[in-house]
Amino acid sequence: ASALGDDPILARTVATAFPARLVERYTDEVDEHRLHREIMCTQLANDIVNRMGLNFVQRQQKATGAPVDDVARAYIAALEIFSVPATWSGMEALDYAVDARIQLEMTVNIVRLVKRSARWLLRNRRHQLSPSGLIEEFQGGVGELATALPTLLRGPALALFQKQRDHYCEAGVNETLASTIAGGLQAFTGLAIQDAAAQTGSPLMEVAELYFDLGERLELDWFGSQILASSVDNEWQAMARETYLEDLQWQQCTLTMGVLRRKCDGLDVAGCLTRWEEEEVQLLSRWRDMLGELHSTTSPDFAMFAVANRELLDLAQSSRRT
């Protein structure tokens, strides 16, 4: 009963219900099929359940309050922005060529990328959820960032990327596909980085370099890995873990934009960082004390993550206001 068919990206899913030869010869007839809406919704629902699992829509709804049709729009937009269908095809072509466990690992990484990207779109483009518009807005920049990702990552994030890429290559996956899968953990940040570049009017790569630089300086990558590695016993804890990761990304972007605001004084990025560190010395000291406590704990729990996120929020808000 929704207006999904108003977007051409969604409407073209109808073609997947017919043989390619038929679609090629009778394009108009397929487009004008009297069950066009029903076929489209059936194909889309099947794809979501087959690729993302039975609870994807419910989880996205519970996390964001979005209606079902908006979840579908965000899903399709995420697929196209990150060229996921081509990645899935590449993974499926490895049937019987690599260990099935490797394929499963790769699938989980891509599913996680789609889940996080869809949720970001639902939260940050709540009233602009046109797949065609979102693809136009983000696809080019995301592709540019994905290509440059190995040169942008630093410290533990770079080490993890290289470890995963080498792991897949050793298992028989070609290097291009292995790099795409290994970069999935960081790739979804491309949406937020692009959004920050638009808000600050700064070049995309400049924003990306600063974003990852701050991630290393403040050990945000390490902090994020601790949150991600935490075990969950129920759905509420799973939702809390995702929320902490979303908050961490928001704060990292806010910090990046806060530093870049110092450019109005004629400073370059290095100068902006120096000025920012001088102005925020007290809150930076508090954050590093918090990191010290987290490092000294063998199994940090959700309460510690909540308090640490609060400290980081203070720093992000102060950076934005100064």
Side-chain angles (χ1 to χ4, degrees), residues 45-53 56 75 79 84-85 88-89 91-92 107 111 115:
N46 286 345
D47 191 62
I48 289 174
V49 172
N50 290 342
R51 295 293 190 180
M52 307 303 295
F56 171 74
Y75 167 74
L79 291 190
V84 172
W88 271 329
S89 295
M91 291 190 299
E92 289 164 358
T107 300
V111 166
K115 285 181 177 179

Side-chain angles (χ1 to χ4, degrees), residues 55-64 119 235 238-239:
N55 64 357
F56 171 74
V57 172
Q58 288 80 3
R59 280 273 181 91
Q60 297 288 332
Q61 286 187 285
K62 184 172 284 190
T64 65
R119 187 174 300 193
E235 187 175 2
M239 290 173 62

